[in-house]
Amino acid sequence: MADKQISLPAKLINGGIAGLIGVTCVFPIDLAKTRLQNQQNGSRLYTSMSDCLIKTIRSEGYFGMYRGAAVNLTLVTPEKAIKLAANDFFRHHFSKDGQKLTLLKEMLAGCGAGTCQVIVTTPMEMLKIQLQDAGRIEAQRKLMPQAVSTGPGAPVEVKSPTAMQLTRDLLRSKGIAGLYKGLGATLLRDVPFSIIYFPLFANLNNLGRRGSEGPAPFYVSFVSGCIAGSTAAVAVNPVDVIKTRLQSLTRGSQEDTYSGVTDCIRKILQREGPTAFLKGAYCRALVIAPLFGIAQVVYFLGVGEMLLSFLPKRKD
């Protein structure tokens, strides 16, 4: 992020607005990514992102591509706000007398931001994945009756749940830990992502600055965000596959279940090969690139500051 001083409320507003715009634009691609990552050998329904989206529209309608979007739109504001604000806080904390941060300190700031955001990211992803994958499970049930189960035991009929139903069921059966299933995998994804993304963005953005002190033009911030976001997304995609598999509660009866991160890695390598860890990588890059590009533009344009300027100032 830029080194300019921005108030915390403005940071939160900027992060929230950027998240809402970004999610609305790219959510269908994110749905395709989840379904591609979850399908295993022997139960493949989709051959590519475009095939997944076409089949989704045919079977579930246009709004089928936005299954789970309500969860994201609700929680992406605090998630993105925490991530951007935390990174800016740590960068300011590590800087001394306005001196340029070393690469190590930039990476530490990104690490702090990634660690903070999982408080919101884990339950958001947990609910979103169930809603996104429900259509794949239902399509699999229609093609192969008796092929879907929610765990050990007899196959069951799959119904499309709501986020509130899922939340209540998880809290009732497993407590708050149910919403935080896959927390370790989420940390393994989001911390390295932030370690890669924030320093890369800051250095790319600095290349486009007007002079030594001036800010970079908004299009430089956008392109820098896209490049840094897609690079970091592809780099951590193997962990994203693991996280998606671990957080999925319903799966085909012929599909593997996993007891943890190491068990998931072992089974994927044995039964699907190392290329399975790249499933959905290009989808994830297409999701993250504009998402973070938009985030950086909103942040650098100062939308939050502009909105706060309309509020009446409190008199001392």
Side-chain angles (χ1 to χ4, degrees):
M1 305 302 302
D3 294 325
K4 63 178 181 179
Q5 297 300 306
I6 303 175
S7 67
L8 181 60
K11 292 172 189 173
L12 299 180
I13 292 171
N14 284 332
I17 291 174
L20 290 172
I21 295 172
V23 166
T24 303
C25 293
V26 302
F27 194 83
I29 303 174
D30 187 65
L31 178 135
K33 180 217 65 144
T34 297
R35 294 187 178 184
L36 288 170
Q37 287 183 338
N38 256 338
Q39 64 178 5
Q40 300 179 23
N41 291 346
S43 60
R44 292 173 60 87
L45 295 174
Y46 315 111
T47 58
S48 65
M49 179 185 74
S50 58
D51 180 58
C52 178
L53 293 177
I54 290 169
K55 287 179 178 175
T56 298
I57 293 172
R58 285 176 179 170
S59 61
E60 303 167 53
Y62 174 79
F63 290 105
M65 295 190 299
Y66 283 88
R67 278 194 177 190
V71 174
N72 254 36
L73 291 172
T74 301
L75 296 179
V76 75
T77 298
E79 190 237 12
K80 286 290 177 284
I82 289 171
K83 184 168 192 163
L84 294 170
N87 178 70
D88 211 53
F89 168 80
F90 285 116
R91 287 180 67 87
H92 179 71
H93 179 74
F94 288 140
S95 64
K96 294 181 180 179
D97 303 321
Q99 292 181 349
K100 189 177 185 297
L101 289 176
T102 63
L103 180 60
L104 177 60
K105 288 183 177 180
E106 287 183 333
M107 294 173 71
L108 287 173
C111 178
T115 304
C116 290
Q117 80 168 82
V118 298
I119 298 169
V120 176
T121 302
T122 305
M124 179 181 76
E125 295 266 316
M126 182 70 190
L127 296 173
K128 182 195 73 170
I129 285 171
Q130 315 316 315
L131 296 169
Q132 286 182 326
D133 206 38
R136 181 186 72 90
I137 296 296
E138 177 64 17
Q140 192 179 87
R141 185 187 68 81
K142 290 177 180 177
L143 289 173
M144 297 172 283
Q146 307 300 315
V148 177
S149 69
T150 54
V156 298
E157 174 123 357
V158 177
K159 295 181 180 179
S160 299
T162 66
M164 288 304 297
Q165 288 171 339
L166 282 168
T167 303
R168 282 196 299 266
D169 290 345
L170 285 169
L171 289 175
R172 191 181 299 117
S173 62
K174 300 180 181 178
I176 192 68
L179 290 172
Y180 280 87
K181 183 180 180 182
L183 174 62
T186 306
L187 276 168
L188 288 173
R189 182 195 68 174
D190 289 349
V191 171
F193 178 94
S194 295
I195 289 173
I196 296 168
Y197 172 78
F198 284 110
L200 182 57
F201 167 78
N203 285 280
L204 289 173
N205 195 60
N206 283 337
L207 295 176
R209 281 190 170 186
R210 296 189 179 110
S212 58
E213 298 297 329
F218 80 92
Y219 62 85
V220 172
S221 297
F222 177 78
V223 173
S224 299
C226 287
I227 294 173
S230 58
T231 301
V234 173
V236 302
N237 193 76
V239 189
D240 190 54
V241 172
I242 295 166
K243 184 197 73 66
T244 300
R245 297 279 182 95
L246 289 174
Q247 289 187 319
S248 296
L249 299 176
T250 306
R251 63 186 75 249
S253 59
Q254 302 302 312
E255 294 179 340
D256 290 326
T257 56
Y258 311 103
S259 61
V261 173
T262 53
D263 182 55
C264 184
I265 293 171
R266 180 178 58 80
K267 287 180 178 177
I268 290 175
L269 284 173
Q270 284 180 351
R271 301 173 191 183
E272 300 175 64
T275 56
F277 290 110
L278 296 177
K279 284 184 176 181
Y282 63 96
C283 293
R284 185 163 162 76
L286 288 174
V287 167
I288 297 297
L291 193 64
F292 277 84
I294 292 168
Q296 298 300 349
V297 171
V298 171
Y299 209 76
F300 277 84
L301 288 179
V303 176
E305 297 92 304
M306 182 183 68
L307 292 175
L308 289 174
S309 69
F310 291 112
L311 296 177
K313 294 182 179 179
R314 193 172 67 181
K315 295 180 180 179
D316 295 327

